[in-house]
Amino acid sequence: MTATAIGLNRLGRNPAIARAVARRARLSIALAAAVFAYLTYAWFAFDMPGLIESARPERAALLATDSVAHKVHVTRSTRTGDIVIAVEGERTATYDTPPGWVTADEESASIDLGDGYRADILGNVAYFYVPGYGEIVAEATSDGVVTTLPKDGPQHGWLRASDAKFDARPTIDRRVQVSRAKIEVHRYFFGWENFFFPFNSEINAYSAGDLFSLAFGGPPLRNDMSNAAYIFDTFWTNPDWQHGNVFIALLETLLMAVLGTFTAAFVGLPLALLAARNFTINVGLMFVVRRLFDLLRGIDMLIWSLIFIRSFGLGPLTGALAIAFTDTGTLGKLFSEALENVDDKQIEGVRSTGASKLQVYRYGVIPQILPIFVSQGLYYLESNMRSATVIGALGAGGIGLMLVETMRTSRDWENTLYIILLTVMLVIAMDSLSSWLRRRLIQGKSDQTRPVKAH
Amino acid sequence: MTATADLSHHIIQAEGRRRLYSIAIVVITAAVIFAGYGQANSMNSGGFLNGLTKFFDYPSEIVVEAWEARTAFLGLMYKFTPALIETLNIAAVATILGGVMGMIFAFLGSGNLDIWPRAVPIARRTMDILRAFPELIIALFLIFVLGTSPVPAMIAVAFHTTGALGKQFSEVNENIDRKAIEGLEACGANWFQRMKFAVLPQVLPNYLSYFMLRFEINVRASAILGFVGAGGIGAELRRTIGWGQGSGDETAALFVLLILSIFVIDQTSSYLRRRLIQKNSD
């Protein structure tokens, strides 16, 4: 404490320094006040109060549970009187014999929902027993739903009963719904259902060991293909998860990023030579190429994508061209600035040995800008991997579009989570590959990996 | 054989090997690009040659419609200015919040600032994850929870900005001259005083430079995310493009607004950054 006081006292003794420090302090307070004022303005410009009111955090909870769980529906149609038990209510995933927690016959079903919860369906009447609350009776009649709550039972938030619909979800993993048309009981289970093979496939219940021995030996399941091929085909074309389509979408996105960046780098380099003051062949041409770079960059990826989607339709070519056009401008500008900063001594040294013009470029110029070329190319490849997902979402296709579509249907959140995980994995893999390559190719020149330094 | 002859033999051999590698890399890259375009072309719904003839149709259609509406064009641009301001607000708030968060992570993630050394790897990994996570995913998730509003895009961009600026800031931190810190420590300055008088004056010019570059990138990102459902100029573009023919004048007005603002920000920021770096290195 005293030592600090002495130090600051000494500072105070020099009035010029003290004034400079005080001015800087005032400046930083003024800056902080300005930022605070701006953020306050933004708070109201974004209508944060209204947003907080209309936010639906329960959707986040729903999304979180639905994306890691699946549910089994027990449904009785009041029209046909049939009782159907199916995973996610899908016709392709119907149980022929009821699972252990359901006993069902023609007219009635008794469903054990675990932890003392129980639901019974008798004709058009659903009995739902909730521990600590009592039994709720909901009857589907010809013109609506009649609900009888237990005597003195309090009205809970998880229970909604009207003349047209009854809906009770006492816990997040149990739900009973009654409408005029049907009685539906949901029970949730943790995990992704039928991830590898479709529900009705004969190999759905096989364990990994069984599959292995089936693939290499065992009786052939199909006449026209080997067991291994059949197992792969069943997995690949699984209708719920669409592994094959997801893989192709990922490939499209990867293709967009790689092709776009490579094209931009290899088109940008020769143009950069024309745009660099010390290498250009004509000052007028230099000016034109520089403005071309500004134009390509300024029009922005969003607008390029929209134009290319219009002319080339959906697909990786569209995305690749949008990336290539924008980044030819960006990389071209970076390369031309790097070329203007090259060391003339090395070029003169090569020239003094009597090298031809081509050899001067090869041995005097290229070695100097190669690290920047490689590191900037890889840096943009990395960032374009993310851009490609967004361009896809604009309508160019690939994993971005698939993600937007599964989210918009907001039905199978587990599919959405699956796509998100794969996308993030692909992006991270690309990031690691690119930074590994950068380290390998340009050791000790990490300064040049940063774009600002190259300016 | 003499030593020099041996050496020159080795150099020629090494040179030959290097040339072989270079040729191999060029050939492989060319093959990847050509095969990739072939593949991309076959996966695209509209073919390349087919699209090439239509390439200028859309831009010229827009230009024609904009020309027909030329007297009202400035009015249209004025009409869409609020949308542009919304996009700029998304980018600015995201850059400010991301910059502040990034600064915290950068300080935790630099090993030479006498903070908690165990936090260094944790902060770095967190920044890696924040940087790698695609903005689109966060934005779509938040749009689902919060509804259509500029805030999801702002948060999504701020997340990525935190990671990106945090990494660049921590690289700046690690390149500082520690003598100033040691000098202050010797006269008994506490940690805050050391940071304030020894570190911040060294790093702030570079921070500011990265900050401006990031703002420029974020304006582009906010415009794109708007198109996916986050408001601002992107949302307006989606609307006018969705209407199809006849709204070309409005689309053109939006294009011009976006291109102009990006151009102005780009030029201003590169001018300011050049000045900052020059002043700093003098």
Side-chain angles (χ1 to χ4, degrees), chain A residues 192 195 250 254 385 389 399 417-433, chain B residues 132-134 137:
Chain A
W192 287 351
F195 179 71
L250 280 173
L254 184 70
M385 201 58 230
T389 60
I399 202 72
L417 183 67
Y418 175 55
I419 293 173
I420 287 178
L421 287 179
L422 285 179
T423 312
V424 171
M425 268 157 57
L426 183 68
V427 170
I428 289 180
M430 204 64 180
D431 272 18
S432 323
L433 179 72
Chain B
F133 223 85
I137 289 176

Side-chain angles (χ1 to χ4, degrees), chain A residues 3-4 38 41 56 59 263 297 300 308 310-312 314-318 363 386 390 407 413 427 450 452, chain B residues 19 37 44-46 48 51 55 58 89 92 131-132 140 144-145 171 187-188 193 209-210 220 224 227 266:
Chain A
T4 314
Y38 174 70
Y41 150 76
R56 298 164 71 181
R59 283 189 143 189
T263 312
R297 225 154 29 97
D300 195 44
F308 281 117
R310 271 292 178 108
S311 45
F312 295 121
L314 196 105
L317 184 68
T318 307
Y363 295 100
R386 282 183 290 274
V390 187
M407 279 192 116
W413 288 111
V427 170
R450 276 178 271 144
V452 171
Chain B
R19 186 170 296 151
Y37 271 113
N44 232 61
S45 60
F48 179 69
F55 178 60
Y58 183 50
N89 275 337
R131 219 173 41 247
L140 285 177
F144 178 70
V145 176
E171 278 170 5
C187 64
Q193 288 168 331
S209 152
Y210 282 130
R220 296 164 185 262
I224 287 199
F227 200 90
D266 183 287

Side-chain angles (χ1 to χ4, degrees), chain A residues 18 39 89 131 244 327 409:
Chain A
L39 289 180
D327 281 356
T409 58

Side-chain angles (χ1 to χ4, degrees), chain B residues 59 112 169-170 228 244:
Chain B
N112 58 343
F169 286 177
S170 76
V228 187

Side-chain angles (χ1 to χ4, degrees), chain A residues 357-384:
Chain A
K357 202 164 182 185
L358 207 67
Q359 283 171 324
V360 171
Y361 276 112
R362 170 64 188 81
Y363 295 100
V365 181
I366 298 280
Q368 290 195 58
I369 63 150
L370 198 61
I372 294 175
F373 179 77
V374 171
S375 72
Q376 289 298 335
L378 288 172
Y379 178 84
Y380 274 86
L381 181 64
E382 204 176 300
S383 112
N384 282 338

